[in-house]
Amino acid sequence: MLFRSAAVSCGGEKVGAIIEVEGLTKVYARGIVAVKEVTFAVEEGEIFGFLGPNGAGKSTTIMMLTTLIKPTAGRAFVAGFDVVREPGRVRLCIGYVSQELAVDDNLSGRDNLFLQAGFYHLPRGEARARCDELLKMMGLYERADDLVETYSGGMRKRLDIACGLIHRPKVLFLDEPTVGLDTQTRHQIWGYIKALREKYGMTIFMTTHYMEEADALCDRIAIIDRGVIKAVGAPAALKDRLGGDVVTLRFKEAPAEKIREAVAALEGLAGVRGVKHQDGDCFIVARGGGELIPQIFQVLQPLGVGVERVTLKRPSLDDVYLYYTGRELRDETGSKEEAMRARMLMRRVRGA
Amino acid sequence: MTVLSDIYYVCWREMKRFWQHKPRILVVVFQPLVWLVLMGNMMSGLTSNPFASRMLGVERYIDFMTPGVMIMTALFGGIFSGVSLLWDRRIGFLSKMLVAPVSRVAIPVGKMLATAMQGAIQVAVIALVALFLGVKFKTGLGGFLCLLFIAALFCFAMAGVSLSVAIWVKTIEGLHPILNFFTMPMVFSSNAIFPEAAMPSWLRVVSAWNPLSYAVTAMRALIVEGWAWGKILSGLMVTLLFAFAMVLVATCQFKRSLG
Ligand SMILES: Nc1ncnc2c1ncn2[C@@H]1O[C@H](COP(=O)(O)OP(=O)(O)OP(=O)(O)O)[C@@H](O)[C@H]1O
Ligand SMILES: [Mg+2]
């Protein structure tokens, strides 16, 4: 991988990859290896997802990329700047929405945003204009002057995301943007994330442990477990690696040799990778199972083999995820303060 | 100077939170009222004893008590400043500030400044209540402003103490008992509520090392004695030094905690 020198990269104009990470490692106190020699690159304008179970090292990676903690080893460049040597320049290019709901409950929504604008040294007039714009975009304009205390979990999250956008960052880091939210709110947040990329061409780096979220949003995902990247690729490509769709047929009563003929004919179809007949059920592994079904009927009809039932199962990202990370739940090590933070988050998400 | 702008915004937030919290405003007004009226009345018998009156150096106990209540308010106002930092860390707001290009110095200093301003507001309320109860300010408005400055500066320094301890203790649950442990001895080893003349000699030595004694002596001089420059200047100098030291300690501690 090529690293650009700091001199060339002014806000990342000549950038191929807007995030470049090589051998990034974080070892916490007591020798806990949270992230282990992680290497990847994110292209400009991409939505890149980190998918992994609790304690996989997702937040730790984000915190290293956002200059909040220093890596133990390895290098990382964001928008062309080294996160260790030029943290100040990195900070100007990035927005960060943490896993916690980091909004101030004792201020109004507008004040939260205005404060954030102040932290980025925006002039007052500009700050006010952008606050209004973001409040409208996030559907919070009517409630802008109410205390955040009175907001629902979804409203707080939207406000938190708005805070991360006030300085129009090139790269937005979203750490578990929908954790604890109900389905409607989650879909709403997905809509906002997609819109950001479409409208502003923003690069988005997000983490999640919801498979369907990664599937719906991300151009590419990396599956991370115990601090190690297990697989990187587009969701479809990752699913493909597991084989393909599975079409299950149940034949009507028919003589055995007819069924054998039918199976042989099915094996001959384009895209079919394997056919297995077992106890009257016929499993067909293939690419593009949906398109295959009409062809199956075309082949079976002249043979006189009837079909009682058809089911199609696409491998979900679930299967991919479980394949790479295993099934068992993880014990988590962490300090008491971390546990308090997690409890606090759940309370705040529920809008208590 | 972006540092100043950052301090401004950190401070702005704390002040907004202060005004937003209505019950707190009630406490701000009523607490000193209760203290002054209760303590002032309870102990008013003291000054009818000529010996005690001479020891206190005032004719009415409430004159002696007013600067004591003021400095205790500044102390209690300052000492819980650290909680807000730990709270910010717990809810993730601290990370939000740290990801933004906010000067690292501005975070503790902004909080200290806001605490000092809140302390000054409370002290001003006490002054109003005291005026109402018949306390006469010998040095007038100028002296009052000088007194307010010393009290605010002391509050600022105590906020620094609190922040430094908070960064060291790391949890809100751990911070409270330590701060409580701090405050009472600090009050009782000073001449805030008892005159130095009434102290055993060992306590007088402790009191001489307690910055609170200097601040309250200067404030008391401004109320009951007049422009007693020796006391006022030494109070001002000690409090300034204390405040300056605490800015250094708190900012160093804070920067170090970020790794
Ligand atoms: N400050 C810390 N000190 C010590 N260990 C830590 C610290 N922060 C995280 N860890 C440990 O590092 C590992 C990775 O944690 P991290 O928070 O990055 O996981 P995550 O993938 O974000 O998990 P989650 O989905 O629960 O948010 C965990 O084992 C965690 O206990
Ligand atoms: Mg996490």
Side-chain angles (χ1 to χ4, degrees), chain B residues 29-250:
Chain B
V29 177
F30 278 98
Q31 194 183 30
L33 195 71
V34 170
W35 280 16
L36 277 181
V37 173
L38 274 186
M39 296 273 273
N41 273 330
M42 231 160 38
M43 310 280 226
S44 60
L46 267 181
T47 38
S48 49
N49 176 338
F51 177 69
S53 175
R54 210 171 332 119
M55 210 186 250
L56 290 167
V58 292
E59 256 139 52
R60 298 185 335 140
Y61 183 71
I62 197 168
D63 293 348
F64 181 86
M65 194 54 207
T66 298
V69 170
M70 286 174 168
I71 204 76
M72 276 165 71
T73 306
L75 174 71
F76 285 119
I79 204 72
F80 289 107
S81 184
V83 174
S84 85
L85 185 71
L86 294 181
W87 186 258
D88 280 354
R89 197 162 76 172
R90 186 168 283 174
I91 67 166
F93 202 90
L94 184 61
S95 298
K96 200 173 191 165
M97 290 195 268
L98 292 173
V99 165
V102 174
S103 148
R104 273 43 187 159
V105 174
I107 295 170
V109 173
K111 279 185 185 287
M112 287 164 74
L113 199 63
T115 311
M117 282 161 66
Q118 292 163 14
I121 292 168
Q122 284 174 274
V123 169
V125 171
I126 298 172
L128 278 179
V129 173
L131 268 180
F132 192 70
L133 293 175
V135 175
K136 299 212 170 45
F137 286 72
K138 278 256 170 75
T139 48
L141 188 64
F144 166 70
L145 290 178
C146 183
L147 173 150
L148 205 60
F149 179 72
I150 294 174
L153 202 59
F154 184 77
C155 189
F156 179 82
M158 286 316 296
V161 172
S162 178
L163 286 169
S164 309
V165 177
I167 292 160
W168 174 62
V169 183
K170 293 195 182 81
T171 66
I172 295 173
E173 291 74 18
L175 182 64
H176 273 283
I178 292 186
L179 294 181
N180 285 331
F181 181 78
F182 249 105
T183 44
M184 276 305 149
M186 208 158 166
V187 171
F188 287 111
S189 70
S190 80
N191 54 350
I193 36 186
F194 299 114
E196 219 148 295
M199 289 179 187
S201 57
W202 67 268
L203 195 56
R204 245 178 267 179
V205 176
V206 180
S207 173
W209 282 96
N210 188 346
L212 193 151
S213 297
Y214 293 88
V216 80
T217 303
M219 288 160 68
R220 189 165 286 142
L222 284 163
I223 295 179
V224 299
E225 283 182 49
W227 294 103
W229 285 109
K231 287 179 182 174
I232 295 166
L233 282 181
S234 71
L236 212 53
M237 293 310 293
V238 169
T239 316
L240 262 176
L241 216 67
F242 182 35
F244 186 68
M246 286 330 296
V247 168
L248 285 184
V249 174

Side-chain angles (χ1 to χ4, degrees), chain A residues 93-109:
Chain A
C93 306
I94 62 168
Y96 167 62
V97 182
S98 70
Q99 191 174 346
E100 290 105 351
L101 271 175
V103 286
D104 191 331
D105 290 0
N106 298 308
L107 298 180
S108 68

Side-chain angles (χ1 to χ4, degrees), chain A residues 102 104 121 124 160 337, chain B residues 6 8 13 17 90 96 99:
Chain A
D104 191 331
H121 311 126
R124 265 162 192 273
D160 203 9
E337 179 65 15
Chain B
D6 292 343
Y8 169 82
R13 166 175 177 239
R17 286 163 63 97
R90 186 168 283 174
K96 200 173 191 165
V99 165

Side-chain angles (χ1 to χ4, degrees), chain A residues 312-330:
Chain A
L312 168 64
K313 185 174 178 291
R314 299 178 181 282
S316 65
L317 212 43
D318 254 309
D319 299 325
V320 180
Y321 180 74
L322 292 176
Y323 176 79
Y324 283 110
T325 63
R327 268 160 209 277
E328 82 279 25
L329 279 174
R330 296 291 146 68

